[in-house]
Amino acid sequence: MPPKTKTNALARRKAEQLKEQQKMKMRRLIWFTTVGLLMVLIIAVLAFQPAPKAAEFDYANLPALGQADAPVKVVEFGDYQCPACKSVNELVKPNLVKDYIDEGKVAFYFMNLPFLGTDSFTAALAAQAVYHQDQEAFWTYFDAIYERQGEENAGWASQDFLVELAKQLELPIDYDLLQQDIAEATYQSEVEAHLAQGNELRVDTTPTFFINGIKYAGSADYESLKKAIDLELAR
């Protein structure tokens, strides 16, 4: 090949290589730009997602521990037959009382979700009956029911057991009225209203907590719950 022809061929080859390199650079630029835009879009969507709507509770008519004006309100949906609820009541609630409720930072409320069986519902009826006689006595009774929790649906939460328990605790209430309220299911509509709201809020397990109306998705251990409460207090 004559020198001039050879030189022209090399020049064309270099030009083609340069052109291909430029194409590659352009493809990379387009790819990175596209990925960057997608990331910005994803971040923007996440940032502007509406916050979950807080559930509304009739706090004034629920069993409560703590001050009504506490900045954080914790609602527990529970079942008196639920072993996990018993564990939370014995291991978590005392710490909540000591660290937050007694300090005026948290108010703790209870709602019935008696889905495990007849004993669940009967115990809920009895507890609500005590609540309507003496709101402070309710929590003594509440703790005692969990403490003496029997086997699931074994018939342990009978009317006789629940009335006798109140007598053993020497609750300052009318025991005959308690027996009548259990027998006549005086507060059935109230318990059913708790259950209905739980179903509406898609509560399918106990215990389930709501912190300032937002369903808590963490573990039911104290440290996990504490972190969620501290985060809410910091808002």
Side-chain angles (χ1 to χ4, degrees):
M1 179 182 295
K4 188 174 181 180
T5 304
K6 186 175 181 181
T7 300
N8 290 340
L10 289 173
R12 282 197 303 272
R13 191 174 301 120
K14 286 182 179 179
E16 289 172 357
Q17 290 175 345
L18 182 60
K19 189 176 181 180
E20 188 62 32
Q21 288 173 356
Q22 289 174 338
K23 286 182 180 178
M24 289 293 293
K25 287 181 181 178
M26 184 58 69
R27 290 192 194 105
R28 290 195 191 100
L29 180 61
I30 292 171
W31 188 86
F32 282 116
T33 301
T34 302
V35 171
L37 288 172
L38 284 173
M39 291 298 293
V40 170
L41 182 61
I42 290 170
I43 291 170
V45 169
L46 292 175
F48 288 100
Q49 276 188 331
K53 185 180 179 181
E56 295 183 1
F57 296 101
D58 185 12
Y59 294 111
N61 291 305
L62 294 177
L65 281 174
Q67 300 173 13
D69 61 352
V72 175
K73 291 177 169 54
V74 177
V75 175
E76 177 194 355
F77 280 92
D79 184 313
Y80 290 105
Q81 286 203 97
C82 166
C85 296
K86 172 183 168 70
S87 178
V88 163
N89 194 60
E90 294 174 350
L91 302 177
V92 176
K93 184 160 71 65
N95 287 317
L96 284 178
V97 170
K98 175 172 62 73
D99 296 339
Y100 294 99
I101 296 172
D102 285 348
E103 297 295 320
K105 298 176 181 178
V106 167
F108 181 84
Y109 301 85
F110 182 78
M111 292 188 72
N112 294 285
L113 197 79
F115 70 103
L116 289 176
T118 302
D119 285 341
S120 306
F121 207 89
T122 307
L125 289 174
Q128 290 304 115
V130 170
Y131 167 71
H132 283 283
Q133 287 201 50
D134 189 307
Q135 295 183 17
E136 290 186 11
F138 167 85
W139 291 104
T140 302
Y141 196 57
F142 178 90
D143 292 341
I145 293 175
Y146 276 127
E147 182 183 344
R148 305 189 193 190
Q149 185 184 84
E151 294 296 322
E152 186 176 322
N153 292 324
W156 62 275
S158 66
Q159 177 180 311
D160 289 343
F161 166 81
L162 291 163
V163 173
E164 182 60 31
L165 178 60
K167 291 178 179 178
Q168 290 175 9
L169 296 169
E170 298 183 350
L171 299 183
I173 64 171
D174 183 329
Y175 304 122
D176 291 335
L177 178 58
L178 172 60
Q179 186 162 14
Q180 179 182 325
D181 285 341
I182 299 172
E184 297 180 0
T186 304
Y187 298 103
Q188 179 173 336
S189 60
E190 196 167 275
V191 173
E192 288 176 343
H194 289 193
L195 183 58
Q197 185 169 12
N199 291 335
E200 182 182 342
L201 294 172
R202 298 182 180 179
V203 177
D204 55 9
T205 186
T206 55
T208 290
F209 300 97
F210 283 77
I211 300 176
N212 281 348
I214 303 300
K215 190 175 182 180
Y216 168 70
S219 301
D221 63 277
Y222 180 63
E223 288 304 316
S224 298
L225 199 58
K226 183 179 186 299
K227 289 178 183 177
I229 291 171
D230 287 341
L231 184 62
E232 193 64 24
L233 285 169
R235 291 184 188 278

